[in-house]
Amino acid sequence: MTTITLKVSEADKTFMQAMAKFEGVSLSELIRTKTLEALEDEYDARVGELAYQEYLEDIKNGYAPITLEEMAKELGVDL
């Protein structure tokens, strides 16, 4: 496993240690999981926004949306 050094103020360290204790995990685990969760949420939001913009562009270009049932039928898939 790799180590990453993070510089924080003493107040931030104290707060993070309190939160780790509150959550019942180590400080390292708290920072790792919360950081990854935040990054994953940001990624999902950006991908969702890109997909929505693509959808709007498709509508603008005359492509009509279809339902899941219509797509399944078109692809020969049983739902």
Side-chain angles (χ1 to χ4, degrees):
M1 191 170 285
T2 280
T3 299
I4 297 174
T5 301
L6 178 68
K7 292 185 179 188
V8 297
S9 69
E10 195 61 42
D12 289 343
K13 178 184 173 190
T14 300
F15 173 71
M16 288 187 282
Q17 286 174 322
M19 287 303 299
K21 184 175 180 181
F22 180 73
E23 299 224 359
V25 296
S26 68
L27 180 56
S28 180
E29 180 68 11
L30 176 83
I31 293 170
R32 187 182 70 76
T33 58
K34 296 298 182 184
T35 300
L36 289 174
E37 287 172 5
L39 290 171
E40 289 168 357
D41 288 349
E42 178 67 22
Y43 176 82
D44 290 345
R46 287 186 184 194
V47 168
E49 182 59 31
L50 288 172
Y52 181 64
Q53 293 304 318
E54 184 178 324
Y55 165 78
L56 292 177
E57 191 66 25
D58 286 348
I59 296 297
K60 183 176 143 186
N61 291 325
Y63 294 102
I66 63 173
T67 66
L68 175 63
E69 289 77 15
E70 292 169 326
M71 181 178 286
K73 183 177 180 182
E74 185 178 307
L75 296 172
V77 175
D78 293 326
L79 295 179

